[in-house]
């Protein structure tokens, strides 16, 4: 049975989420603080983390950084009362896979949880290999990324976003198409796509302000442009 770690200092929320997960056939593991959360992750197989931001010992951003330093694959969904765009951008930039604000719809949150668990399962079943395209190289087994021969650290959905573009070079995709393919969801979030595009450019482009690879096609969307100039 899949196991989801619920990290929130509000007992009512932990108990409610455990019941919601049980109805989906998923085991919920309650945790009230960041230190205990990291111990759980180190000691058992966790399939997904639902993570609050405002906690006493360490905030959710710090917890996420510790998680990503050890595991780039485990899905993390922020569940927070902090609704400012800055917080969402920061959370996604640190490697969160999704961000849900309180108050929230339990049904929508469960839908997002199942999306992430389904994607994790698919990733685990795929055969490792490498994608090599121009100056970009992505190892599908270790998720190691190299740009112009130099290792680059990608986190969270940055890896899957790059993988999607590398599998479809020189094709134009709308933000909606990208979100449905990379996040595998029925809903849409254009802002999330733009945040991840920006972070990915910061890591793979020689000049992120004048991208030579991940191009904006105005009025449509984005394209990973592979030309003779950027093949080597």
């Amino acid at each position: 049975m899949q196991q989801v770690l619920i990290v929130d200092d509000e007992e009512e929320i932990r108990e409610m989420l455990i019941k919601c997960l049980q109805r989906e056939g998923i085991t919920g593991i309650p945790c009230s603080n960041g230190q205990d959360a990291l111990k759980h992750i180190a000691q058992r197989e966790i399939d997904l983390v639902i993570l609050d931001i405002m906690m006493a010992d360490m905030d959710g951003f710090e917890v996420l950084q510790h998680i990503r330093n050890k595991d780039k694959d485990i899905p993390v969904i922020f569940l927070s009362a902090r609704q400012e765009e800055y917080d969402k951008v920061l959370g996604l930039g640190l490697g969160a896979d999704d961000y849900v604000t309180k108050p929230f719809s339990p049904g929508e949150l469960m839908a997002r949880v199942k999306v992430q668990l389904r994607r994790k399962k698919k990733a685990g079943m795929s055969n490792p290999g490498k994608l090599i395209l121009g100056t970009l190289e992505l190892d599908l087994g270790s998720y190691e990324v190299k740009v112009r021969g130099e290792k680059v650290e990608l986190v969270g959905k940055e890896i899957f976003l790059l993988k999607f573009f590398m599998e479809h070079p020189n094709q134009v995709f709308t933000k909606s198409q990208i979100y449905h393919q990379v996040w595998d969801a029925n809903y849409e979030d254009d802002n999330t796509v733009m945040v991840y595009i920006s972070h990915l450019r910061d890591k793979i482009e020689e000049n992120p302000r004048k991208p030579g690879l991940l191009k904006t096609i105005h009025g449509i969307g984005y394209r990973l442009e592979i030309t003779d100039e950027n093949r080597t």
Side-chain angles (χ1 to χ4, degrees):
M1 184 176 289
Q2 292 172 306
Q3 299 189 104
V4 171
L5 186 64
I6 304 164
V7 190
D8 199 298
D9 57 5
E10 296 184 53
E11 184 176 359
E12 290 183 3
I13 288 181
R14 296 197 303 269
E15 292 178 352
M16 184 263 287
L17 290 180
I18 287 175
K19 292 178 182 178
C20 290
L21 290 166
Q22 285 176 340
R23 287 195 289 268
E24 301 294 340
I26 302 168
T27 299
I29 302 170
C31 188
S32 61
N33 61 72
Q35 291 288 356
D36 286 347
L38 295 176
K39 290 178 183 178
H40 277 292
I41 292 171
Q43 294 171 358
R44 65 174 74 190
E45 184 71 25
I46 299 295
D47 296 292
L48 182 143
V49 179
I50 298 175
L51 181 60
D52 189 17
I53 293 178
M54 295 181 288
M55 297 182 291
D57 62 336
M58 67 170 70
D59 66 31
F61 295 135
E62 187 177 353
V63 174
L64 177 60
Q65 287 178 301
H66 282 289
I67 292 173
R68 285 291 173 252
N69 285 338
K70 295 183 178 180
D71 192 332
K72 291 182 171 61
D73 301 334
I74 182 171
V76 176
I77 299 176
F78 271 127
L79 179 62
S80 175
R82 294 169 67 161
Q83 301 184 16
E84 296 296 324
E85 182 179 0
Y86 168 81
D87 294 309
K88 184 173 184 178
V89 170
L90 177 59
L92 295 173
L94 291 173
D97 297 276
D98 207 344
Y99 192 111
V100 178
T101 58
K102 300 175 183 177
F104 62 96
S105 161
E108 180 183 347
L109 178 59
M110 288 304 105
R112 292 175 183 244
V113 165
K114 287 188 287 186
V115 163
Q116 297 300 332
L117 290 175
R118 186 165 61 246
R119 179 166 289 279
K120 183 175 186 291
K121 184 177 181 180
K122 287 181 181 178
M125 294 172 62
S126 62
N127 294 321
K130 285 187 177 182
L131 288 174
I132 300 175
L133 197 63
T135 59
L136 302 172
E137 180 178 327
L138 170 60
D139 189 309
L140 300 176
S142 64
Y143 289 133
E144 181 179 88
V145 176
K146 292 183 179 179
V147 181
R148 293 175 289 277
E150 299 293 327
K151 186 176 179 180
V152 174
E153 291 292 336
L154 300 187
V155 296
K157 283 294 186 290
E158 293 172 357
I159 294 171
F160 296 106
L161 183 60
L162 178 63
K163 178 175 178 290
F164 172 70
F165 277 116
M166 289 183 70
E167 289 173 336
H168 304 89
N170 296 318
Q171 295 183 43
V172 180
F173 296 95
T174 66
K175 290 190 286 289
S176 175
Q177 288 173 321
I178 294 168
Y179 194 85
H180 289 313
Q181 290 295 321
V182 176
W183 278 263
D184 192 20
N186 294 324
Y187 47 86
E188 298 178 15
D189 192 333
D190 288 354
N191 186 59
T192 295
V193 173
M194 290 187 290
V195 168
Y196 270 89
I197 291 286
S198 177
H199 285 299
L200 190 56
R201 281 173 170 164
D202 286 340
K203 296 180 179 182
I204 70 171
E205 298 283 2
E206 290 188 277
N207 183 354
R209 296 191 176 188
K210 295 181 179 181
L213 292 167
L214 198 47
K215 296 291 190 70
T216 297
I217 308 302
H218 294 289
I220 304 176
Y222 302 95
R223 174 181 67 209
L224 179 65
E225 187 171 287
I226 302 299
T227 66
D228 291 338
E229 292 183 358
N230 59 30
R231 283 189 182 276
T232 57

